[in-house]
Amino acid sequence: MLEHIEVFRKKKIRATPQRLGVYKVLCRANKHLTAEQIYGKMKAEFPALSLATVYSILEFLKKSALVQQIRITFDKSCFEARCDQHHHFFCKRCKVIFDIDIPRCSALRKKEVDGFLIEELQGYFYGICRDCKNKVKDGRGD
Amino acid sequence: MLEHIEVFRKKKIRATPQRLGVYKVLCRANKHLTAEQIYGKMKAEFPALSLATVYSILEFLKKSALVQQIRITFDKSCFEARCDQHHHFFCKRCKVIFDIDIPRCSALRKKEVDGFLIEELQGYFYGICRDCKNKVKDGRGD
DNA sequence: TTACTTGCAAAAGATTTGCAAACGA
DNA sequence: TCGTTTGCAAATCTTTTGCAAGTAA
């Protein structure tokens, strides 16, 4: 796996410690974090860091196609260091977001529908995740 | 078409003028409106109306399955008086939201994937709509 | 009558902005 | 050096909340 700084160099992105920090946190977490959560995970290493900077960096990394923003709940955004096409599942019970891949669906692959040019698709699925479903089935309503 | 008030009666929903107003505005607009836009369209008929009330009514109508909320852009929610399953397309150029129906896609119909129970799906498509695409093609970059 | 709704004002929470100081290349 | 980035504080914008007054059934 390419060192994070190498990823930046390849994209000709100026590698500041804060930018690398945000990117590393997202890569390592390997899941969906809010700006606030990223900020929290960076505070130890960057005591002077400001939340506004995290937002600004996330905006920049989005434009650089290193980070993706999703808004699967109505309250706040999450970010992840994965930019290939995939979809998301939100468990209404445990509130966790899962990645889902639906490889074979022609409708989701079309680049054009009714003259509309489709550049990007975000599939947001809502329901109950496997673990929560099993808990309910077993009568463990925790 | 059922009178709006009849829809409410069938669902045993108390029919206040403001609730009917929000619902009518959404039915008549037949498109996606923000809370602010709904509020704007109602001001003439309800001078005392407050935006907080619009939000509260929208929340209520959502729970009553008369209204659906979508969040296809990162900045604000839109509401529509259509609750059947369909998806949305956001034109990056003219910023308009379109409804799209993708009838034949098995992956989108599954009720369960990998043990995950899917209760709802929001498909958000992003791209260039037909009109904007044609304008670009014709060299009319307006 | 009475529980539910509305209007209002204020609060909350996420995100953005403006600007001076700091910094990477 | 110099244009870019960061930190900070304040602003903005959407949405929510608490509560008293009003209202549909």
Side-chain angles (χ1 to χ4, degrees):
Chain A
M1 188 181 61
L2 225 51
E3 240 348 300
H4 300 117
I5 196 159
E6 287 304 320
V7 176
F8 278 45
R9 289 213 181 106
K10 279 214 169 168
K11 296 222 175 206
K12 300 197 196 300
I13 291 171
R14 187 194 275 196
T16 69
Q18 293 90 336
R19 280 186 184 167
L20 279 167
V22 169
Y23 188 58
K24 276 186 200 164
V25 163
L26 279 175
C27 288
R28 287 183 185 153
N30 194 33
K31 63 179 179 183
H32 318 82
L33 300 178
T34 64
E36 188 79 44
Q37 288 172 323
I38 296 166
Y39 175 68
K41 284 180 189 292
M42 291 179 69
K43 260 292 176 179
E45 195 180 348
F46 301 89
L49 183 68
S50 112
L51 183 55
T53 301
V54 174
Y55 274 107
S56 132
I57 290 175
L58 286 169
E59 196 56 40
F60 176 85
L61 294 179
K62 255 170 69 186
K63 274 191 287 194
S64 307
L66 286 178
V67 154
Q68 193 173 55
Q69 179 178 11
I70 64 170
R71 188 121 195 187
I72 195 167
T73 58
F74 291 128
D75 57 343
K76 71 187 70 165
S77 289
C78 288
F79 301 84
E80 64 179 332
R82 191 183 157 185
C83 286
D84 59 313
Q85 171 140 332
H86 63 288
H87 305 293
H88 296 95
F89 179 95
F90 178 74
C91 177
K92 293 176 179 174
R93 201 146 181 285
C94 64
K95 317 294 182 198
V96 171
I97 299 170
F98 299 85
D99 281 349
I100 57 175
D101 295 276
I102 297 191
R104 257 177 295 284
C105 180
S106 58
L108 295 185
R109 273 217 242 263
K110 277 190 190 152
K111 290 285 173 256
E112 200 180 300
V113 171
D114 283 338
F116 284 52
L117 182 69
I118 295 168
E119 297 177 345
E120 195 194 333
L121 161 60
Q122 287 286 341
Y124 292 154
F125 295 76
Y126 302 84
I128 308 294
C129 74
R130 185 167 33 196
D131 282 0
C132 285
K133 212 181 63 174
N134 290 338
K135 278 180 196 157
V136 173
K137 194 164 47 185
D138 300 348
R140 283 182 287 131
D142 57 51
Chain B
M1 187 182 63
L2 225 52
E3 241 346 302
H4 300 117
I5 196 161
E6 287 304 322
V7 176
F8 277 44
R9 288 211 182 108
K10 280 214 170 170
K11 297 221 175 207
K12 302 200 195 297
I13 290 171
R14 186 195 275 195
T16 69
Q18 293 89 336
R19 280 186 185 168
L20 280 167
V22 168
Y23 188 57
K24 277 186 200 165
V25 163
L26 280 176
C27 288
R28 288 183 185 153
N30 195 33
K31 64 179 178 183
H32 318 82
L33 301 177
T34 64
E36 187 79 45
Q37 288 172 323
I38 296 167
Y39 176 67
K41 284 181 189 291
M42 290 179 69
K43 260 290 175 181
E45 195 181 346
F46 301 89
L49 183 68
S50 112
L51 182 56
T53 300
V54 174
Y55 274 106
S56 131
I57 290 176
L58 286 168
E59 197 54 41
F60 176 85
L61 294 179
K62 254 170 69 186
K63 273 191 287 193
S64 307
L66 286 177
V67 154
Q68 193 174 58
Q69 179 178 12
I70 63 169
R71 187 122 197 186
I72 195 166
T73 57
F74 291 128
D75 56 343
K76 69 187 71 166
S77 289
C78 288
F79 300 84
E80 65 178 334
R82 192 181 158 186
C83 286
D84 60 311
Q85 171 140 333
H86 64 287
H87 305 292
H88 296 95
F89 179 94
F90 177 74
C91 177
K92 292 177 180 175
R93 202 145 180 285
C94 64
K95 316 293 182 198
V96 172
I97 299 170
F98 299 85
D99 281 348
I100 58 174
D101 294 276
I102 296 190
R104 256 178 296 284
C105 179
S106 58
L108 295 185
R109 272 216 240 267
K110 276 190 189 151
K111 292 284 172 257
E112 200 181 300
V113 171
D114 282 338
F116 284 52
L117 183 70
I118 295 169
E119 298 176 345
E120 196 194 333
L121 162 60
Q122 289 286 342
Y124 294 153
F125 296 76
Y126 301 83
I128 307 293
C129 74
R130 185 165 34 199
D131 282 0
C132 285
K133 212 182 61 173
N134 289 337
K135 277 180 196 157
V136 173
K137 194 163 47 184
D138 299 347
R140 284 182 284 132
D142 57 50

